[in-house]
Amino acid sequence: MTADVSPIDDVLVRPPRGRRPRLRPLEIVRWCRATDSDTLRAAVWALRACRRIHSTPEARGLVAPDLPRVPAVAPAARRGVEHVLWLRAEQCLVTASVRQAWLAARADEQDVVIGVAVDRPARLRAHAWLSGAPEEGAGYEEIARVPPRGAG
């Protein structure tokens, strides 16, 4: 007997931008039971990676965080990583770091780019994104790059 995930299927097939759904834990468990094992393993890895970043006692300069080893799963399992980042509403630096580690494990090494912008009322904003997605950093002036762990 398979779990009925139709109420959350539209939301969890591909995480949209913007407003996050109010999912009950039971709905998430049903999705986990209905999804393939590679996607589930990727989601668990992303959860562990986010927790590792948050539990790091202090930053030691601009270096990529030491994250758990990325599981050997199909590339399509990346949707599990994206779901975790979206549902947890992670900050841009955490999101970029987790995505960087995921891509580096697949021989797609991208830098985390950190940029700043100044709004009209002289308010400083910062943002982080991957070097492979420059459109995400539109309007920000690049101030630093963090290469993947073990690179350069």
Side-chain angles (χ1 to χ4, degrees):
M1 182 171 143
T2 60
D4 178 27
V5 293
S6 55
I8 60 170
D9 217 19
D10 293 337
V11 174
L12 292 179
V13 168
R14 181 169 175 262
R17 287 213 176 279
R19 195 173 132 254
R20 284 156 184 78
R22 294 186 181 270
L23 296 177
R24 294 187 309 266
L26 182 60
E27 292 172 323
I28 294 172
V29 169
R30 285 182 181 154
W31 178 80
C32 290
R33 290 182 65 199
T35 192
D36 63 283
S37 63
D38 280 358
T39 302
L40 189 57
R41 287 179 59 205
V44 169
W45 172 82
L47 183 62
R48 290 180 59 218
C50 291
R51 287 184 175 170
R52 173 91 49 96
I53 291 171
H54 287 292
S55 69
T56 303
E58 62 184 62
R60 293 180 304 259
L62 291 175
V63 296
D66 183 22
L67 299 180
R69 193 166 58 116
V70 177
V73 295
R78 180 176 177 176
R79 72 186 184 123
V81 174
E82 296 300 329
H83 282 57
V84 168
L85 296 174
W86 179 67
L87 288 171
R88 286 178 55 98
E90 289 294 351
Q91 297 285 329
C92 57
L93 186 58
V94 173
T95 299
S97 297
V98 170
R99 286 178 179 152
Q100 178 188 48
W102 178 265
L103 293 172
R106 279 146 183 75
D108 182 7
E109 295 190 352
Q110 296 184 21
D111 292 344
V112 171
V113 181
I114 301 170
V116 294
V118 179
D119 286 341
R120 284 286 177 196
R123 198 180 99 210
L124 185 68
R125 296 180 303 133
H127 184 50
W129 64 95
L130 290 179
S131 57
E135 66 281 353
E136 217 180 299
Y140 289 89
E141 181 73 29
E142 178 182 329
I143 61 168
R145 282 183 175 254
V146 181
R149 194 162 189 82

